[in-house]
Amino acid sequence: MANHAGENLNNLSDILIFIRVADSGSFTKAAELLNLSRSAVGKSIQRLETHLSSRLIHRTTRTLSLSDEGTLFYESAQRILQEVADAENLILKRHQTPTGRLRITVPVAFGRLHVMPVLRDFLAAYPAIDLEVIFSDDYLDLIHDGIDLAIRFGSLQDSSLIQQRLATHQLISCASPQYLAEHGLPKSLEDLAEHQQLIYLHQGRATPWRYYVQGRDVEYPAYGRIRLYDVEALRDTALAHFGIAQIGAFLISEELAAGRLIPILQDIAPLIQPIYAVYPSKRHLSLKVKSLLQFIEQRWQGQPIWEMAQE
């Protein structure tokens, strides 16, 4: 057989030109519709007829008509181009509607309290999305672990990743009113040595408390007899009057508003920190990730999550 699949594929443009000529009844009109020269249209038809070894169009100086072979080919060619158009629409539709698996990682407590409500609404809006959420306070390797998106606190360290600011958060030193009534109110970092300090452990290490003193960031090496790997347990222990803790405001907004926890050392409170979305690359960012980012941005509007929770 003389014709091969590759050769047939090369004739798609010639087929399109043939259909435009047949529809318009004119080489000149077809050339105008396709933004081609009349000569190019004529050569295309000639090339197609040579390829098919058949006369497709009878043409004189004034009239143009399809041959029997031309009419038969026209009907088949119409179906081919419709299938091509359907295939294009299918791909375009996939780019217009988020689909497929979306794998993200979020901090444990923050993710449960503030990210999951947004994700549930996102899933309701986009039923073709399959969601997988990893709750971890560790910074996972996005590329190695096949993660589309991470939500993280603080500035990005890995320059190979892209970050997009979503909201803000702040660390707050606090204790219960009962604890402060019994042990006094610390007024300086030095006073903390006289108090029970509730420690959050991460990867086996005590997380230092952060402050902003005289225009610079300061880390206070907190130490105490109660050391916990879970921030919600840390909050509950502070509520139970066991000591002072430094906790993200997103976790204790209700307790602060109700007076069950009292903020301390506010004059040296650490600066507000960003909450970022982090992803491997901006190049060819998938529609599912882009849609989720837009969804979160619309919901959070770059504001402190704990304040919005109180509205």
Side-chain angles (χ1 to χ4, degrees), residues 21 24-32 38 41-42 45 57 59 64:
V21 169
S24 65
S26 165
F27 277 52
T28 301
K29 289 181 181 179
E32 292 174 355
R38 190 184 185 287
V41 170
I45 297 301
I57 297 176
R59 44 201 179 274
L64 180 153

Side-chain angles (χ1 to χ4, degrees), residues 135-180:
F135 293 86
S136 176
D137 291 328
D138 295 333
Y139 281 9
L140 304 181
D141 186 321
L142 302 191
I143 296 175
H144 180 268
D145 294 323
I147 296 171
D148 298 300
L149 181 73
I151 293 181
R152 294 176 176 172
F153 296 153
S155 299
L156 182 64
Q157 301 298 323
D158 188 344
S159 61
S160 67
L161 300 175
I162 307 298
Q163 65 182 14
Q164 181 173 328
R165 185 181 180 277
L166 297 176
T168 60
H169 84 107
Q170 188 172 30
L171 292 169
I172 294 182
S173 299
C174 59
S176 70
Q178 181 176 325
Y179 173 85
L180 294 174

Side-chain angles (χ1 to χ4, degrees), residues 134 172 197 255 267 300:
I134 303 169
I172 294 182
Q197 300 170 20
E255 287 74 16
D267 58 326
W300 290 353

Side-chain angles (χ1 to χ4, degrees), residues 267-289:
D267 58 326
I268 56 170
L271 298 177
I272 292 174
Q273 295 294 311
I275 298 172
Y276 285 116
V278 180
Y279 44 95
S281 174
K282 238 179 185 177
R283 186 180 181 187
H284 304 309
L285 185 63
S286 67
L287 181 62
K288 59 189 177 183
V289 174

Side-chain angles (χ1 to χ4, degrees), residues 4-306:
H4 300 288
E7 293 173 349
N8 292 337
L9 287 175
N10 289 337
N11 289 316
L12 281 176
S13 60
D14 293 338
I15 293 172
L16 174 61
I17 291 172
F18 166 73
I19 289 177
R20 293 293 178 266
V21 169
D23 287 341
S24 65
S26 165
F27 277 52
T28 301
K29 289 181 181 179
E32 292 174 355
L33 288 170
L34 296 168
N35 197 27
L36 296 172
S37 67
R38 190 184 185 287
S39 173
V41 170
K43 290 179 180 178
S44 176
I45 297 301
Q46 185 178 19
R47 185 164 55 245
L48 191 60
E49 289 178 330
T50 300
H51 180 76
L52 295 174
S53 300
S54 300
R55 169 78 64 179
L56 300 178
I57 297 176
H58 295 305
R59 44 201 179 274
T60 66
T61 54
R62 294 187 178 182
T63 62
L64 180 153
S65 62
L66 297 180
S67 67
D68 290 342
E69 290 84 357
T71 301
L72 183 64
F73 186 73
Y74 175 81
E75 292 172 353
S76 297
Q78 284 277 47
R79 289 194 296 271
I80 291 171
L81 288 186
Q82 185 58 53
E83 289 180 3
V84 171
D86 290 344
E88 288 180 344
N89 290 334
L90 178 63
I91 299 302
L92 289 173
K93 189 175 180 181
R94 283 183 63 88
H95 285 291
Q96 294 166 357
T97 304
T99 60
R101 188 187 74 161
L102 182 59
R103 195 165 194 248
I104 73 172
T105 179
V106 297
V108 179
F110 180 78
R112 185 181 65 80
L113 290 173
H114 298 292
V115 182
M116 280 307 302
V118 180
L119 292 178
R120 285 190 286 267
D121 290 344
F122 179 74
L123 288 174
Y126 298 102
I129 289 289
D130 296 327
L131 181 66
E132 183 176 329
V133 183
I134 303 169
F135 293 86
S136 176
D137 291 328
D138 295 333
Y139 281 9
L140 304 181
D141 186 321
L142 302 191
I143 296 175
H144 180 268
D145 294 323
I147 296 171
D148 298 300
L149 181 73
I151 293 181
R152 294 176 176 172
F153 296 153
S155 299
L156 182 64
Q157 301 298 323
D158 188 344
S159 61
S160 67
L161 300 175
I162 307 298
Q163 65 182 14
Q164 181 173 328
R165 185 181 180 277
L166 297 176
T168 60
H169 84 107
Q170 188 172 30
L171 292 169
I172 294 182
S173 299
C174 59
S176 70
Q178 181 176 325
Y179 173 85
L180 294 174
E182 293 178 1
H183 299 87
L185 181 68
K187 297 180 179 179
S188 67
L189 292 184
E190 290 73 21
D191 290 347
L192 290 176
E194 305 301 321
H195 288 267
Q196 293 293 331
Q197 300 170 20
L198 307 178
I199 309 305
Y200 171 59
L201 291 174
H202 182 239
Q203 296 182 339
R205 299 178 182 177
T207 301
W209 293 357
R210 301 182 184 279
Y211 296 96
Y212 191 70
V213 182
Q214 296 180 349
R216 63 187 184 92
D217 294 315
V218 172
E219 288 190 353
Y220 177 81
Y223 179 81
R225 67 188 184 96
I226 301 176
R227 300 177 291 277
L228 306 171
Y229 277 91
D230 182 83
V231 292
E232 291 179 276
L234 194 71
R235 174 201 59 195
D236 294 344
T237 305
L239 285 167
H241 326 303
F242 275 87
I244 296 171
Q246 189 173 76
I247 308 172
F250 71 84
L251 185 61
I252 56 173
S253 56
E254 293 181 4
E255 287 74 16
L256 293 171
R260 293 190 294 271
L261 288 175
I262 305 298
I264 64 170
L265 301 176
Q266 289 181 286
D267 58 326
I268 56 170
L271 298 177
I272 292 174
Q273 295 294 311
I275 298 172
Y276 285 116
V278 180
Y279 44 95
S281 174
K282 238 179 185 177
R283 186 180 181 187
H284 304 309
L285 185 63
S286 67
L287 181 62
K288 59 189 177 183
V289 174
K290 189 182 301 183
S291 298
L292 177 58
L293 288 173
Q294 291 172 349
F295 200 88
I296 296 174
E297 284 181 321
Q298 184 177 15
R299 178 69 63 85
W300 290 353
Q301 299 178 8
Q303 300 303 310
I305 302 304
W306 69 88

